[in-house]
Amino acid sequence: GKRKNSTYEAGKRSTAWLKVKATNSADFVIGGYTKGKGARAPLGALLLGYWQGNKLRYASHVGSGFDDRSIKRTKALLEPLQRKTNPFAEEPELNAPTSWVEPKLVAEVQFQGWTDDHHLRAPVFLRLRDDIDAKEVRHKVEKEKPSRSLSEVEQILDQLKTDRAALTLAVGAHQVRLTHLDRVYWPADPALKQPALTKRDLLRYFAQVSPFILPHLADRPLTMIRMPDGIHGQRFFQKHWEQERPDFVQTITVFSAHKDEQHAYLLCNNLPTLLWLAQSGTLEFHVWHSRAKPGPDTAGKGTDYASSLAALESSVLNYPDYVVFDIDPYIYSGKEAPGAEPELNTVAFEKAKEVAFWLRELLQGMSLEPIVKTSGKTGLHVFVPIRRTLDFDAARQVSEIVGRHLMRRHPKDITLEWSVPKRTGKIFMDYNMNVRGKTLNVAYSPRGAPGAPVSMPLTWEELANAHPLDFRLANAAERLARTGDRWGDVLKRKQSLEKVLERAKP
DNA sequence: GTCGTCC
DNA sequence: GGACGACAACGCAGA
DNA sequence: TCTGCG
Ligand SMILES: [Mn+2]
Ligand SMILES: [Mn+2]
């Protein structure tokens, strides 16, 4: 039967999923230590930091990874270094009695990346570094490498090598039933130099890019665009999954004003879910711009999304992570059927790029630094990451005002018209995408379009010479291995919009 | 891709 | 057992 | 208030 209570329990994450995260190790300066309980009475945790100029930036507590010997030795070395004052530039949050020490001792720590508020995720003490001068410990962390996830991904690729059209895939501790692996999803397209791509190819792609796409999907309500018979078959949107689903699939319940009902949305929060959705014929993953996850930028916002409209509106889901500029060319190729949407063409995309660069210039004039990706279809997505202090309404106002400003400068090239015919020949800036519940194709999601293009985050330098079909299912994994995620730090680049909003006021 | 319904 | 439909849905803009 | 829109 259907699962009634599908709420995900953080404590029950499988080890398989934990492995997907990148692992780093780095050296940090010890600036204090805490008392613990029982056997850990002498030393509960270390307070770690690194030098930035002459400021010691706090990075994290670390309490895991010690044994009796390392506790004894570390404590002995720290005791003589005690001081009365906090050596860090910040006031770290203290959860136990804390002793400050002169920042002279260095510890090597393994961790799973950085949290949004610049602390270490899941830090584990490895050893003391007597050989390193504490003054040399700057903020130089080795680039995150998905080394540990590689083996997991390769295990999946191995399993997909079979000739069989169906199999039960082991994804860590979980199992995903796969069928119709040789079904053609993207037929061969000689004009685009595109060999046929099957469902097996789609699964291979998702396995390979999973370390890059999963962070962009995490905690965001999902709309699936499903094409179980391939890109030329019937396609449909799906926002809710009422059928039975595996245990590893997380959902959230969201209030629906219209039906006076509660709706379950899927969250694609782990690798088995990603592959299970591919098995269901989901070719495109469209996600909200807000997340069902509180953070350091959401003080006072709730996590009750279900009980009432008021609760939803005051929850974190009403506060987007970015202001969205959806850049849609309405310059037609001339080959479209009457009434059809504009098809991809070079003239249109070159103009969209020009608009994106104008937009960047304007935003930079407001001290805002936007990021850009191809949508995969015909246009571009330009995002300004913001702290989650503005609701969708405010984000939409910003997008509209900036859009109108740009339209005034370039009236022949930009439109904000609601009527489709009036957009003809121009680039449409769709500021109304900044609304709760609206979705866009997520970074690295494929499109159900000829050539199997994917939405690709780019540097602005790369955009200058880019074309949507440069980035495809067939070559994106290779690019990512080379360049990493150009949007890897979206959630760490949050900016303030106060000035823009002041100007917006009448 | 899968389920429910109708014949 | 085969055919067929469902699988979204909401608030904003403009008239 | 109705309709087109994504
Ligand atoms: Mn678009
Ligand atoms: Mn659009």
Side-chain angles (χ1 to χ4, degrees):
Chain A
K2 224 170 291 177
R3 279 192 309 151
K4 290 276 182 267
N5 179 6
S6 53
T7 312
Y8 189 75
E9 290 162 72
K12 292 194 177 172
R13 287 188 167 195
S14 74
T15 53
W17 168 225
L18 289 176
K19 272 190 218 158
V20 172
K21 291 195 260 178
T23 301
N24 295 318
S25 87
D27 301 321
F28 293 91
V29 182
I30 304 172
Y33 64 94
T34 67
K35 285 196 202 318
K37 290 175 182 162
R40 299 295 299 270
L43 180 66
L46 303 177
L47 278 72
L48 305 174
Y50 54 89
W51 289 106
Q52 198 177 67
N54 51 19
K55 284 184 175 163
L56 185 64
R57 317 300 312 215
Y58 168 76
S60 198
H61 280 59
V62 58
S64 298
F66 290 99
D67 57 23
D68 289 347
R69 220 178 58 155
S70 55
I71 288 172
K72 207 168 173 186
R73 173 166 145 77
T74 308
K75 179 70 183 294
L77 288 167
L78 285 172
E79 236 162 6
L81 297 177
Q82 285 205 33
R83 57 183 261 175
K84 292 243 161 59
T85 57
N86 169 10
F88 294 106
E90 301 83 358
E91 295 279 338
E93 208 170 297
L94 303 181
N95 43 21
T98 301
S99 305
W100 306 114
V101 296
E102 294 296 339
K104 292 192 170 158
L105 213 53
V106 178
E108 184 180 354
V109 170
Q110 170 194 293
F111 59 103
Q112 313 282 346
W114 296 80
T115 63
D116 295 346
D117 50 341
H118 307 292
H119 295 166
L120 301 184
R121 177 168 285 136
V124 177
F125 173 86
L126 293 178
R127 60 194 171 124
L128 289 174
R129 295 294 300 260
D130 315 274
D131 52 327
I132 287 178
D133 184 349
K135 290 194 190 70
E136 299 308 311
V137 178
R138 313 249 140 213
H139 190 178
K140 56 166 168 25
V141 176
E142 300 131 45
K143 229 184 175 176
E144 288 194 20
K145 44 175 193 273
S147 55
R148 277 238 244 164
S149 71
L150 260 187
S151 64
E152 173 116 63
V153 168
E154 266 167 3
Q155 281 176 33
I156 288 162
L157 297 178
D158 277 353
Q159 294 174 76
L160 288 169
K161 275 178 187 152
T162 171
D163 285 336
R164 289 183 301 156
L167 69 123
T168 299
L169 188 76
V171 187
H174 300 292
Q175 297 194 328
V176 181
R177 178 72 195 159
L178 303 180
T179 62
H180 308 98
L181 288 172
D182 295 315
R183 179 168 293 175
V184 172
Y185 272 10
W186 285 268
D189 194 327
L192 298 176
K193 298 186 174 168
Q194 181 59 65
L197 292 166
T198 63
K199 189 176 176 186
R200 189 189 309 271
D201 296 315
L202 178 67
L203 281 151
R204 290 173 48 81
Y205 172 77
F206 278 128
Q208 287 177 295
V209 305
S210 59
F212 305 98
I213 193 174
L214 284 169
H216 297 287
L217 289 162
D219 304 308
R220 301 185 189 281
L222 177 72
T223 296
M224 298 149 269
I225 318 297
R226 298 181 56 193
M227 297 161 230
D229 295 318
I231 67 167
H232 297 305
Q234 234 359 284
R235 62 174 67 189
F236 57 94
F237 282 53
Q238 189 166 350
K239 331 181 94 162
H240 315 295
W241 193 283
E242 302 304 335
Q243 291 151 242
E244 192 175 351
R245 55 186 172 260
D247 283 339
F248 51 73
V249 178
Q250 290 177 240
T251 65
I252 55 162
T253 308
V254 177
F255 179 79
S256 162
H258 195 61
K259 294 187 179 173
D260 194 29
E261 253 177 42
Q262 299 182 350
H263 277 323
Y265 280 83
L266 299 190
L267 306 176
C268 185
N269 275 5
N270 53 50
L271 180 56
T273 304
L274 182 66
L275 300 174
W276 172 74
L277 286 167
Q279 157 61 22
S280 81
T282 303
L283 268 73
E284 300 187 5
F285 289 67
H286 293 209
V287 292
W288 288 27
H289 309 125
S290 56
R291 274 176 296 151
K293 182 164 196 175
D297 57 348
T298 62
K301 278 130 208 161
T303 53
D304 174 5
Y305 317 119
S307 63
S308 68
L309 183 60
L312 178 57
E313 282 180 339
S314 64
S315 77
V316 293
L317 273 185
N318 207 38
Y319 291 81
D321 285 296
Y322 15 73
V323 177
V324 171
F325 296 90
D326 179 24
I327 297 179
D328 294 335
Y330 277 78
I331 301 168
Y332 292 80
S333 72
K335 290 181 289 186
E336 292 85 358
E341 298 203 331
E343 282 173 13
L344 176 61
N345 65 88
T346 305
V347 173
F349 191 72
E350 289 303 310
K351 187 56 81 177
K353 279 156 62 172
E354 200 176 0
V355 169
F357 279 112
W358 292 334
L359 173 60
R360 182 197 189 200
E361 201 183 354
L362 181 57
L363 290 167
Q364 284 178 327
M366 302 166 159
S367 306
L368 295 173
E369 190 55 58
I371 55 179
V372 65
K373 68 183 181 77
T374 62
S375 77
K377 244 176 164 178
T378 63
L380 292 166
H381 296 155
V382 175
F383 287 9
V384 176
I386 53 168
R387 281 186 294 112
R388 289 182 283 175
T389 53
L390 298 180
D391 62 12
F392 274 106
D393 209 53
R396 185 168 47 83
Q397 283 182 45
V398 171
S399 187
E400 179 181 0
I401 283 160
V402 169
R404 291 209 184 281
H405 199 92
L406 215 58
M407 181 180 65
R408 245 172 276 134
R409 280 200 210 170
H410 305 280
K412 281 186 292 232
D413 295 313
I414 297 175
T415 176
L416 273 67
E417 277 291 346
W418 149 88
S419 143
V420 169
K422 288 184 183 170
R423 295 175 189 163
T424 303
K426 299 184 181 180
I427 306 299
F428 174 51
M429 294 187 67
D430 188 0
Y431 63 87
N432 270 323
M433 290 308 291
N434 295 276
V435 169
R436 172 167 33 85
K438 290 254 191 267
T439 62
L440 283 179
N441 191 44
V442 77
Y444 307 115
S445 167
R447 302 309 298 257
V454 307
S455 174
M456 182 57 73
L458 300 170
T459 66
W460 287 94
E461 291 69 34
E462 288 169 335
L463 178 64
N465 294 307
H467 184 276
L469 285 166
D470 293 344
F471 311 105
R472 306 185 185 201
L473 200 83
N475 65 14
E478 180 274 324
R479 171 186 155 91
L480 283 170
R482 200 176 62 243
T483 67
D485 183 3
R486 295 297 195 205
W487 278 24
D489 57 353
V490 215
L491 295 182
K492 293 171 198 159
R493 286 180 165 238
K494 302 273 187 146
Q495 303 170 63
S496 164
L497 277 168
E498 279 141 26
K499 281 180 197 165
V500 185
L501 280 178
E502 266 166 42
R503 266 177 242 162
K505 280 174 194 160

